[in-house]
């Protein structure tokens, strides 16, 4: 067995650089000292706090083929899909969303979403703000919802990142998210499908050898931590501890491991595959299940990218292909959350960057239509079983109750107990920014 | 305990008067108790400036006027302390005024009143007050009297009605910077529904403010408060705005401006506003107070500063209308000070002065091994080689440290490292493939500027005035990212002057005196810039368009001529590029910003913390922790012709820079006063290069020559390819702010250093240092470990450390079995050793 050595503890005036570290006392940690303290305050071991699961639909789903079939429009606008009744009288949705129809009482549809910036990018769905393509974000860029939560609330537990991004890298760069922002790399999401995945399984060493290395490090890395007044060294020590945990066995790894779930439940979600659809995202319903596991482990925000929705051609052929798995995955997730009693605490939002053109083009597809789009909400203690707003006869623009993108953000923050109009974060020039620009939570649901 | 027993013995002969001097009155408990020192004298201080003859006393006009007295005690050790709340006040004749226990005076009737102040030890002080015009009812001036109420109560803060979108349909200008607009919103908007002159107390404004009807902001004032009464009176008067000739505030003064205090001590502040007609007014309870370090000091609405338990320096910002000022408190640490300290140059003298005032003891000088590594990292961004280390450690030349600094400055590493630093500040960003030529040229030009030690004023001038084609003037590339007037104003002001002017674009700067007029006056320097397509796609040529430089202020819609910050209009003939005038103004010897900004930036680079923090946010309300040192460094820099190498040398040769980072018993809490070196983690590029050097396996950067170091990379594009660089916070060159580089820790970084394929490959590479050493039969284990230590730490291991590693390698040797050979095991031992060294804090930090 390896013996651990260290210098004797000499408390003389700056003579010895080496002291023993107390292993384990450094188990609680955060990023900077303030967050270290924040995580300690927040520590709800094993319990899920309030959380958000955001499902990004890259390419922008056709609002008129999802939640509000334009039955009164001429056929070149209405298209091929028919509406079906849901379990909420008065609300009808696309025939290819039958499972959602059965649980409409647990869902909120926003049918007249406005404010889209008209960029083929996840930026606005993730940050609620206009990107560089159309506006001038502050230097460093606006932070995504998860990054904001990471900053203002910190992790619920030191071993569990506040923001996890499950998406894989899309070929179309602008679909990708988990961006850095003016809040810094400390608040970028933990991305198991990113480069870090290579670091999460042992590379070239066995578990035993890792254990030997760990002991060796601990036996001599006694460099005095009080040399660093900022607390960074202590923070790094605690992240080291967590890293070893991840590599050996951990809360986080377990949460990510979908194999631990009942196969029947996985089937209910639909499993899916990790293979990306065209230049967008895979239809990987297992990720919704993992998202649920992650929020149970204490992650505050999980983001997933799902499917391919940029149907410039063969709109209805594509719809028949991409809508049903979405229907299956999301309905399973919402039901699962309700069954586990998580529906009050966990909010779900599913949306894309814009809607699609009313007039079907000559390839049988629809093109980009930022004037109006749609969103699906669930959980978060919201008053469900509603369809908010509607578009005009041809589905061109809101007929009543336009809902701005930032109202959705305001609502999500509200569900987490944050007043988005009173909370602020500072950018690189120390200028404070509120989380939204004066938009209130949607009164119909809160 | 005010007086300890030993103090009583020491001050034999002094008569101690117990504090219960005045019969029938309650005992005054002093809450300021300078350690064991005796009160010698009491002075009443007020800061009304219209009294030249103290015998005549001060004059207060009108029933609205107020006065905050300050009673200052002079202790027998020469220190001053606040006794404002430790004295008893008497006014004769009674009834003319009211003085509360905080020394705050409210006048009632006309007349001359004598004020007597009685303190401990039988000490007294007197003053006179002349009260006039209490029966006159003066027309209330909206700007001077009503608007400050909204600031004080927080109504017009950025969190409520002051934000651009207002709150619940009611908008006020941010912090009251636009009184005319506020008048519109309050009086005219909404058909005047907010105010009822016929029944003032029923006005919606007052009902909301007092919380009588539901108000999102709650109850901000009491129904029976003087503020409520003033607002009501203003409404009753018919909501006068004020006449054009009415006096305006030109300045505010706080008393005291600076005080040496003890932990948990309190200090009352008194603030006076000076008006255009020369009149003065006490505004102590009308101004907004904000401490810049809430843990160190809190300040109440009445201007009472209360210190916490932390020693150091703290500033309280005071804001009234569009004026700001600052109060500074210095709280000594109370440690014994060394009698004899090494002083190498003026830096040490001035740092030691502050250390003395703050009663901080400094750590020992660092040893040679620490110095050789620290200077090498700070000047060239790389670790010294074992040969360099050995030569240095064995050298007995008393001037070896100075010589080492010089040799680092003359090495190519210096130009590389500082080009890397300025590359990010100058936003050298690769956006498309077309921008590549500009990126490389700019980087190269920056590097060349440092190589030839171009003077800083010339460097700045060449950037700001860059014109023509990128190929001939690489600095033109800077204007590619700094595209529009907004960017130019903000970047130039922030980078070269340390002024964050951006806030003033839309409104008066909340923390400084800069107005929108100042912003557009500065913007005018860039108003004559023309662009046309350059010789290659995606490039532009910058040229000067003749004309009188001016920028339009969107509020007034009028053009503003070019002004430097705080100067008058600078006359620029129409055929001269106004940017040249800007550069000339910046480089003038009396320019208060240019040199200070650079020396502060470089001070932070070497010492870990600017004399002003953040380093590019220099304003009155953010004072330097050592103003004399900042001034002296700036002067030295200017006097030496803005010589950057000389500046670096001066900083690095100082004893201050060469202190150990290890805290002693007393200074571990110090993070502002440089009583020790503040350790900092190696930045992304430096860390990657260090790992490469230590493992002897270079990282390959696509499209770059083999062996290139990360600090030599010409732009930010390598961040997207290199997980390591972006993970460890290398900036994307998106802003002029060095704080874009993040030095936070996270889980992914730890995972990467502990277990990434990259680390694995470097450590197990057959040509890498670990394996080569392991296979080397000519060296003993001890020699090998010593060599690794030299590479990683620039020092030798001590006996305990040696034992740890030698034991480990033996342990691995003993574990060889059927599956692994002895030689394999030895290789594993050395790989694990190198792995552990790389993951240790001593390696990861510059200490």
């Amino acid at each position: 067995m390896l013996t651990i050595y260290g210098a004797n503890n000499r408390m003389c005036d700056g003579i010895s650089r080496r002291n023993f570290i107390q292993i384990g006392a450094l188990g609680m940690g955060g990023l900077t000292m303030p967050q270290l303290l924040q995580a300690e305050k927040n520590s709800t071991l094993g319990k899920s706090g309030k959380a958000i699961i955001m499902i990004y639909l890259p390419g922008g789903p056709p609002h008129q083929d999802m939640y509000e079939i334009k039955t009164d429009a001429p056929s070149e606008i209405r298209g091929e899909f028919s509406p079906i009744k849901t379990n909420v009288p008065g609300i009808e949705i696309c025939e290819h969303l039958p499972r959602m129809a059965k649980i409409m009482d647990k869902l909120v549809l926003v049918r007249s979403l406005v404010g889209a910036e008209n960029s083929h990018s996840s930026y606005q769905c993730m940050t609620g703000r206009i990107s560089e393509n159309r506006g001038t974000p502050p230097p460093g860029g606006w932070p995504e919802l998860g990054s904001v939560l990471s900053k203002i609330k910190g992790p619920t537990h030191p071993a569990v990142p506040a923001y996890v991004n499950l998406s894989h890298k899309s070929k179309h760069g602008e679909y990708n998210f988990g961006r850095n922002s003016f809040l810094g790399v400390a608040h970028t999401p933990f991305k198991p499908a990113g480069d870090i995945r290579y670091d999460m399984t042992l590379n070239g060493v066995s578990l035993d050898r890792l254990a030997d290395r760990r002991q060796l490090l601990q036996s001599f890395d006694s460099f005095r931590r009080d040399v660093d007044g900022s607390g960074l060294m202590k923070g790094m020590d605690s992240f080291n501890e967590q890293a070893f945990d991840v590599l050996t066995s951990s809360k986080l790894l377990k949460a990510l491991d979908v194999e631990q779930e009942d196969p029947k439940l996985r089937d209910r979600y639909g499993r899916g595959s990790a293979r990306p659809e065209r230049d967008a995202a895979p239809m990987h319903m297992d990720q919704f299940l993992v998202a649920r596991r992650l929020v149970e482990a204490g992650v505050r925000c999980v983001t997933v990218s799902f499917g391919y929705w940029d149907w410039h051609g063969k709109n209805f052929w594509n719809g028949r292909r991409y809508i049903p798995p979405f229907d299956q995955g999301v309905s399973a997730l919402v039901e699962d959350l309700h069954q586990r009693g998580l529906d009050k605490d966990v909010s779900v939002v599913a949306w894309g960057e814009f809607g699609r053109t009313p007039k079907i083009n000559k390839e049988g597809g629809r093109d980009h239509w930022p004037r109006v789009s749609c969103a699906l909400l669930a959980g978060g203690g919201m008053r469900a079983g509603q369809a908010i707003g509607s578009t005009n006869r041809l589905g061109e623009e809101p007929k009543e109750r336009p809902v701005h993108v930032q109202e959705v953000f305001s609502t999500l923050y509200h569900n987490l107990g944050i007043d988005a109009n009173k909370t602020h974060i500072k950018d690189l020039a120390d200028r404070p920014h509120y989380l939204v620009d004066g938009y209130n939570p949607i009164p119909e649901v809160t | 305990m005010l007086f300890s027993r030993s103090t009583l013995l020491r001050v034999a002969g002094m008569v101690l008067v117990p504090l219960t001097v005045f019969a029938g009155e309650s005992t005054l408990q002093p809450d300021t108790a300078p350690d064991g020192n005796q009160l010698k004298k009491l002075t009443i201080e007020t800061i009304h400036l219209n009294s030249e003859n103290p015998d005549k006393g001060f004059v207060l006009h009108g029933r609205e006027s107020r006065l905050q007295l300050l009673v200052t005690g002079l202790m027998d050790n020469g220190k001053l302390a606040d006794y404002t709340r430790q004295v008893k006040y008497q006014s004769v004749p009674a009834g003319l005024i009211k003085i509360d226990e905080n020394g705050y005076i409210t006048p009632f009737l006309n007349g001359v009143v004598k004020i007597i102040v009685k303190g401990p030890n039988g000490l007294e002080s007197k003053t006179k007050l002349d009260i006039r015009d209490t029966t006159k009812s003066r027309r209330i001036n909206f700007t001077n009297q009503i608007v400050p109420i909204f600031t004080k109560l927080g109504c017009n803060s950025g969190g409520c009605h002051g934000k651009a979108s207002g709150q619940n349909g009611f908008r006020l200008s941010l912090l009251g910077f636009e009184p005319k607009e506020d008048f519109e919103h309050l009086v005219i908007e909404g058909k005047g529904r907010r105010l009822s002159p016929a029944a003032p107390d029923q006005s919606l404004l007052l009902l909301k403010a007092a919380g009588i009807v539901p108000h999102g902001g709650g109850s901000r004032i009491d129904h029976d408060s003087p503020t409520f009464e003033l607002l009501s009176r203003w409404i009753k008067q018919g909501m006068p705005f004020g006449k054009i000739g009415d006096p305006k505030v030109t300045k505010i003064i706080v008393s005291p401006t600076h005080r040496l205090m003890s932990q948990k001590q309190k200090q009352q502040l008194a603030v006076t506003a000076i008006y255009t007609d020369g009149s003065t007014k006490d505004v102590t309870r009308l101004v907004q107070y904000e401490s810049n370090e809430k843990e160190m000091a809190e300040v109440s609405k009445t201007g009472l500063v209360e210190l916490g338990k932390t020693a150091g320096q703290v500033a309280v910002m005071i804001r009234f209308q569009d004026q700001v000022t600052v109060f500074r408190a210095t709280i000594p640490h109370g440690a014994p000070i060394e009698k004899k300290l090494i002083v190498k140059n003026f830096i040490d003298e001035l740092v030691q002065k502050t250390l003395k005032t703050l009663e901080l003891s400094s750590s020992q000088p660092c040893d040679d091994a620490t110095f050789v590594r620290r200077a090498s990292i700070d000047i060239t961004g790389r670790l010294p080689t074992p040969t360099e280390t050995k030569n240095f450690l064995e050298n007995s030349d008393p001037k070896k440290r100075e010589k080492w600094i010089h040799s680092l400055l003359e090495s190519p590493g210096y130009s590389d490292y500082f080009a890397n630093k300025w590359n990010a500040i100058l936003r050298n960003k690769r956006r498309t493939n077309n921008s590549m030529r500009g990126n490389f040229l700019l980087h190269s030009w920056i590097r060349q500027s440092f190589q030839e030690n171009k003077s800083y004023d010339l460097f700045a001038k060449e950037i700001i005035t860059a014109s023509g084609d990128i190929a001939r003037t690489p600095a033109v590339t800077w204007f590619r990212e700094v595209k529009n007037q907004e960017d130019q104003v903000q970047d130039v002001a922030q980078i070269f002057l340390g002024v964050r002017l951006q806030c003033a674009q839309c409104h008066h700067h909340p923390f400084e005196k800069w107005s929108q007029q100042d912003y557009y006056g500065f913007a005018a320097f860039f108003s004559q810039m023309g662009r046309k397509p350059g010789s290659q796609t995606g490039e532009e040529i910058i040229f000067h368009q003749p004309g009188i430089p001016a920028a339009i202020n969107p509020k007034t819609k009028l053009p503003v001529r070019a002004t430097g910050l705080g100067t008058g209009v600078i006359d620029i003939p129409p055929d001269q590029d106004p940017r040249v005038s800007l550069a000339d103004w910046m480089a003038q010897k009396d320019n208060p910003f240019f040199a200070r900004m650079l020396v502060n930036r470089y001070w932070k680079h070497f010492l870990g913390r600017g004399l002003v923090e953040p380093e590019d946010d220099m304003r009155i309300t953010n004072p330097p922790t050592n103003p004399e040192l900042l001034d002296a460094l700036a002067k030295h820099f200017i006097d030496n012709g803005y010589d950057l190498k000389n500046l670096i040398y001066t900083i690095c040769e100082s004893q201050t820079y060469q202190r150990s980072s290890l805290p002693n018993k007393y200074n571990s809490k110090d993070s502002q006063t440089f009583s020790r070196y503040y350790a900092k983690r190696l930045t992304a590029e430096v860390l990657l290069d260090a790992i490469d050097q230590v493992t002897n396996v270079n990282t390959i950067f696509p499209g770059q020559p083999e062996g290139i170091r990360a600090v030599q990379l010409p732009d930010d594009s390598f961040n997207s390819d290199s997980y390591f660089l972006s993970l460890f916070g290398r900036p994307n060159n998106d802003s002029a702010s060095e704080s874009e580089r993040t030095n936070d820790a996270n889980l992914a970084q730890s995972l990467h250093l502990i277990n990434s394929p990259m680390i694995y490959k470097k450590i197990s590479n057959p040509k890498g240092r670990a394996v080569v050493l392991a296979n080397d039969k000519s060296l003993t284990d001890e020699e090998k470990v010593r060599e690794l230590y030299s590479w990683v730490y620039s020092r030798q291991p001590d006996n305990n450390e040696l034992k740890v590693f030698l034991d480990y390698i033996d342990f691995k040797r003993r574990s060889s079995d059927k599956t692994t050979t002895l030689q394999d095991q030895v290789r594993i031992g050395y790989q694990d050793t190198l792995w552990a060294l790389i993951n240790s804090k001593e390696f990861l930090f510059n200490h």
Side-chain angles (χ1 to χ4, degrees), chain A residues 2 5 7 13-14 17-18 31-32 132 139-140 184-186 190 195-196 198-204 209 212-213 216-217 219-221 223-228 232-233 236-237 239-240 242-244 247 428-430 434, chain B residues 158-159 370 431 500 502 661-664 676 679 681 723 726 734-735 737 739 742-748 750 752 755-757 760 793 795 798 800-801 803-805 807-808 812 828 831-832 835-836 840-841 844-845 847:
Chain A
L2 184 67
Y5 286 93
D13 207 288
R17 272 191 286 210
R18 294 169 283 284
L31 304 135
T32 54
E132 253 178 27
V185 287
F190 183 81
D195 282 312
I196 200 178
Y198 303 120
D199 300 347
M200 283 174 64
T201 54
L202 293 172
N203 284 302
R209 192 164 160 199
D212 284 346
R213 281 185 165 188
L216 177 62
L217 181 60
S219 71
F220 87 99
D221 183 16
F223 192 64
R224 272 178 62 177
R225 297 306 187 253
D226 59 352
V227 149
D228 171 38
L232 184 61
M233 272 197 198
M236 288 166 68
D237 279 333
F239 282 119
N240 270 12
Q242 293 170 43
F244 282 115
L247 292 169
L428 291 172
D430 256 357
Y434 293 100
Chain B
T370 305
R431 287 199 187 269
R500 302 242 181 123
Q502 37 280 60
S661 57
L662 291 164
N664 58 32
R676 57 191 177 91
R681 193 176 68 174
Y723 179 56
S726 55
D734 270 323
S735 82
S737 189
S739 57
T742 42
N743 251 340
D744 288 326
N746 62 27
L747 176 59
S750 286
H752 200 67
N755 182 57
S756 62
Y760 167 68
Y793 298 142
R795 67 170 172 92
D798 69 19
N800 283 335
E801 293 169 312
K803 190 166 185 345
V804 167
F805 285 106
D807 278 356
Y808 186 81
K812 284 292 164 186
I828 286 175
Q831 286 170 15
D832 289 355
W835 175 92
S840 67
K841 297 298 176 296
L844 296 169
F845 276 72
H847 48 84

Side-chain angles (χ1 to χ4, degrees), chain A residues 213-367:
Chain A
R213 281 185 165 188
R214 185 178 187 176
Q215 268 193 318
L216 177 62
L217 181 60
Q218 284 167 353
S219 71
F220 87 99
D221 183 16
S222 52
F223 192 64
R224 272 178 62 177
R225 297 306 187 253
D226 59 352
V227 149
D228 171 38
S230 71
L232 184 61
M233 272 197 198
K234 291 208 181 89
M236 288 166 68
D237 279 333
S238 90
F239 282 119
N240 270 12
E241 291 288 301
Q242 293 170 43
F244 282 115
D245 277 345
V246 168
L247 292 169
T248 51
S249 78
S250 78
K251 216 168 141 69
L252 182 60
L253 266 189
K254 281 206 188 71
L256 289 168
D257 185 6
V258 77
E259 303 277 339
Q260 305 229 352
E261 281 289 342
D262 177 5
K264 285 211 201 67
L265 187 59
R266 281 184 75 188
D267 288 337
R268 168 72 185 90
Y269 273 76
R271 299 196 187 224
S273 104
R275 197 202 56 205
E277 297 290 328
R278 306 267 221 117
D279 66 346
M283 291 196 288
H284 197 183
M285 289 74 86
D286 267 343
Q287 290 194 325
F288 297 168
L289 188 40
V290 172
R292 191 218 78 214
R293 290 173 67 79
L294 285 171
V295 302
E296 281 180 313
V299 176
R300 294 203 196 267
C301 179
V302 183
T303 50
V304 182
S305 190
F306 187 87
Y308 164 76
W309 303 83
D310 193 26
W311 314 326
H312 287 283
K314 303 207 280 189
N315 188 72
F316 301 96
W317 181 91
N318 278 309
R320 288 185 194 94
R321 181 186 159 80
Y322 293 108
I323 297 179
F326 175 67
D327 175 55
Q328 183 172 11
V330 171
S331 61
L333 174 63
V334 173
E335 279 187 325
D336 203 7
L337 289 173
H338 276 264
Q339 267 161 11
R340 282 166 202 264
L342 296 171
D343 54 295
K344 295 267 178 309
D345 288 337
V346 181
S347 306
V348 179
V349 57
W351 56 359
E353 64 265 32
F354 37 51
R356 305 201 78 83
T357 50
K359 189 138 181 288
I360 299 166
N361 64 28
K362 50 185 168 58
E363 278 86 29
R366 300 192 195 268
D367 306 309

Side-chain angles (χ1 to χ4, degrees), chain B residues 431-548:
Chain B
R431 287 199 187 269
T432 65
N433 284 336
N434 285 333
S435 65
M436 206 161 34
R437 186 168 89 130
N439 295 128
F440 286 17
L441 282 170
L442 179 60
H443 176 255
S444 201
W445 174 81
I446 296 173
R447 195 185 176 287
Q448 182 62 21
S449 303
F450 292 117
Q451 178 98 337
E452 63 194 39
N453 200 24
K454 187 182 290 172
S455 73
Y456 176 65
D457 56 336
L458 185 57
F459 178 67
K461 184 168 185 172
E462 288 182 4
I463 293 167
I464 293 172
T465 61
S467 303
D469 190 274
I470 283 181
R472 297 191 64 191
T473 316
V476 165
T477 312
W478 183 61
F479 285 105
R480 197 167 56 194
E481 281 299 310
V482 184
K483 270 193 295 283
N484 49 40
Q485 203 176 73
E486 213 177 287
D487 295 323
Q488 286 143 17
V489 169
Q490 287 172 184
D491 271 30
V492 170
Q494 188 165 338
I495 297 174
F496 296 111
L497 305 176
V499 175
R500 302 242 181 123
L501 211 48
Q502 37 280 60
C503 301
Q505 190 188 5
C506 300
H507 51 66
H508 190 98
H509 197 297
F511 304 117
E512 250 297 15
K513 60 185 183 187
W514 309 123
S515 63
Q516 267 183 296
Q517 201 63 357
D518 292 320
Y519 180 95
Y520 290 98
F522 198 76
F525 285 112
F526 302 98
S527 60
Q528 302 306 117
M529 282 179 60
R531 294 174 188 250
K532 59 187 186 195
S535 52
Q536 283 199 7
T537 347
E539 289 179 7
E540 281 182 320
I541 292 180
I542 307 267
F543 61 93
H544 169 239
Q545 289 169 323
I548 303 275

Side-chain angles (χ1 to χ4, degrees), chain B residues 221-261:
Chain B
I221 50 177
D222 285 326
H223 191 227
D224 53 4
S225 65
T227 310
F228 188 99
E229 193 273 329
L230 181 63
L231 284 166
S232 182
R233 191 152 29 100
W234 174 69
I235 299 170
K236 192 161 171 200
Q237 287 185 2
M239 292 91 71
F241 181 76
K243 294 196 294 289
I244 299 209
D246 279 351
K248 290 201 192 41
V249 177
T250 56
K251 200 173 166 182
I252 55 173
I253 301 176
V254 65
S255 185
T257 50
H258 184 204
R259 186 136 292 174
L260 191 64
M261 295 171 70

Side-chain angles (χ1 to χ4, degrees), chain A residues 51-57 67 108 110 113 125-126 145 288 301-304 326 330 333-334 337 346-352 374-379 382 405 408-409 412 415:
Chain A
I52 294 177
I53 298 175
M54 187 183 293
I55 301 167
Y56 171 60
L57 306 173
Y67 309 126
V108 176
V110 176
L113 191 68
C125 287
M126 288 295 145
L145 180 61
F288 297 168
C301 179
V302 183
T303 50
V304 182
F326 175 67
V330 171
L333 174 63
V334 173
L337 289 173
V346 181
S347 306
V348 179
V349 57
W351 56 359
C374 61
L376 176 81
L377 300 168
M382 294 186 283
V405 168
V408 175
F409 270 80
L412 293 171
N415 294 349

